[in-house]
Amino acid sequence: MSDSPARHLALQGASNFRDLGGYATADGRQTRWRHLFRSNHLGLLTEADVEIVRSLGVRSAFDFRGVEERADSLCGMREITTHSLPIEPTVVAALRARMAEGTLTAPVALEIMRESYRNYVRHNTHSFRALFSHLLEDRAPLVIHCTAGKDRTGFACALILHALGVPEETIAEDYLLTNRFYRRDPSAASELPQDVRDAIGSVEASYLAAGFEAVRDDYGDLETYLRDGLKLGTFERTALKTRYLQA
């Protein structure tokens, strides 16, 4: 029986709260448990949830939600300092526009999702760069989130795991765990067809692949993106591994 901590913490008000610890790296180490967490937004935590998060020692949250999203559901834990790294949502607006044109189908929705990941690289690299800057400064257990904790958060966490040397297969497995744990809001974008809502309410390997496709198109390869886009040189990569890996 494994004595590792639970990867998914079953909170009542946040369904996708997960630990990034315990993943093996190419150099024989593993990511530290109870240091890096990923989640959907923290605006609906119950009193019991708050006690669980407090027991983890979380002191910082890195929030990729857009301005209006963030205003709707602020984290109520005073001991957590929230750093806003806004990436404005574009998917639902694009879907509604295609529905108004009469051209919205599930395959169209899938491509809109993939394009949103490409745009993380094309237009929002500065937000991911800021995240890594914080990771190099912040020693407390911390949580990274957006609204659902699946797309902006998923891409950010994939970048972190890559920078730490976790293999691609493991990164993909962690990314897809959202489909197991995330509870969708049934009222969200309820005017859209069900197959379209299914497409945007889950994650697919092709979404993450589209983001890394944009990395290759714009930077040549991931290592160059980490160095030139995210400003992670040799010193920064070593510091990141020292902080978030264990032997």
Side-chain angles (χ1 to χ4, degrees):
M1 181 179 294
S2 174
D3 57 359
S4 297
R7 181 165 307 286
H8 175 249
L9 286 87
L11 305 181
Q12 297 176 56
S15 64
N16 204 16
F17 197 106
R18 307 188 337 242
D19 195 324
L20 290 177
Y23 288 136
T25 62
D27 63 2
R29 290 185 281 178
Q30 69 174 22
T31 54
R32 292 184 187 274
W33 287 102
R34 297 307 190 242
H35 277 60
L36 295 168
F37 297 94
R38 54 174 295 176
S39 182
N40 53 327
H41 77 83
L42 306 177
L44 298 176
L45 297 181
T46 66
E47 290 184 10
D49 294 339
V50 167
E51 290 306 312
I52 292 171
V53 175
R54 186 172 287 143
S55 73
L56 298 172
V58 174
R59 293 292 179 269
S60 299
F62 300 96
D63 185 353
F64 285 111
R65 292 179 297 172
V67 175
E68 291 186 10
E69 289 176 287
R70 184 167 177 244
D72 286 342
S73 298
L74 295 175
C75 176
M77 294 183 63
R78 294 179 181 177
E79 61 265 55
I80 293 181
T81 300
T82 298
H83 303 270
S84 180
L85 306 172
I87 297 177
E88 294 294 337
T90 59
V91 169
V92 173
L95 293 170
R96 286 172 175 158
R98 295 299 292 269
M99 186 166 67
E101 295 170 357
T103 58
L104 180 60
T105 62
V108 167
L110 292 172
E111 182 53 30
I112 286 173
M113 287 296 301
R114 287 189 282 265
E115 186 68 5
S116 73
Y117 276 70
R118 297 183 189 106
N119 286 335
Y120 293 157
V121 177
R122 296 168 181 159
H123 305 308
N124 296 287
T125 286
H126 61 281
S127 289
F128 300 113
R129 184 187 309 131
L131 171 66
F132 277 97
S133 179
H134 283 295
L135 293 179
L136 287 165
E137 297 173 357
D138 202 308
R139 293 184 178 274
L142 54 90
V143 59
I144 300 159
H145 73 90
C146 49
T147 293
K150 68 184 192 68
D151 298 311
R152 291 162 288 189
T153 297
F155 190 67
C157 291
L159 291 173
I160 291 169
L161 294 175
H162 270 297
L164 293 174
V166 175
E168 289 185 13
E169 296 81 3
T170 304
I171 293 170
E173 289 171 3
D174 177 80
Y175 172 76
L176 292 171
L177 281 177
T178 282
N179 290 338
R180 178 177 172 187
F181 295 117
Y182 176 57
R183 295 191 302 266
R184 295 187 229 170
D185 178 356
S187 66
S190 57
E191 77 281 10
L192 297 175
Q194 186 61 50
D195 57 351
V196 170
R197 293 170 64 197
D198 288 342
I200 67 172
S202 58
V203 292
E204 283 202 1
S206 70
Y207 300 166
L208 194 58
F212 288 113
E213 172 189 297
V215 166
R216 291 190 297 273
D217 288 346
D218 290 1
Y219 291 86
D221 57 41
L222 179 59
E223 288 299 312
T224 303
Y225 181 62
L226 293 174
R227 185 192 69 211
D228 296 346
L230 303 180
K231 306 304 179 186
L232 295 175
T234 301
F235 174 82
E236 289 79 11
R237 290 283 291 276
T238 300
L240 199 70
K241 290 180 178 182
T242 299
R243 184 159 298 180
Y244 297 112
L245 296 183
Q246 62 188 39

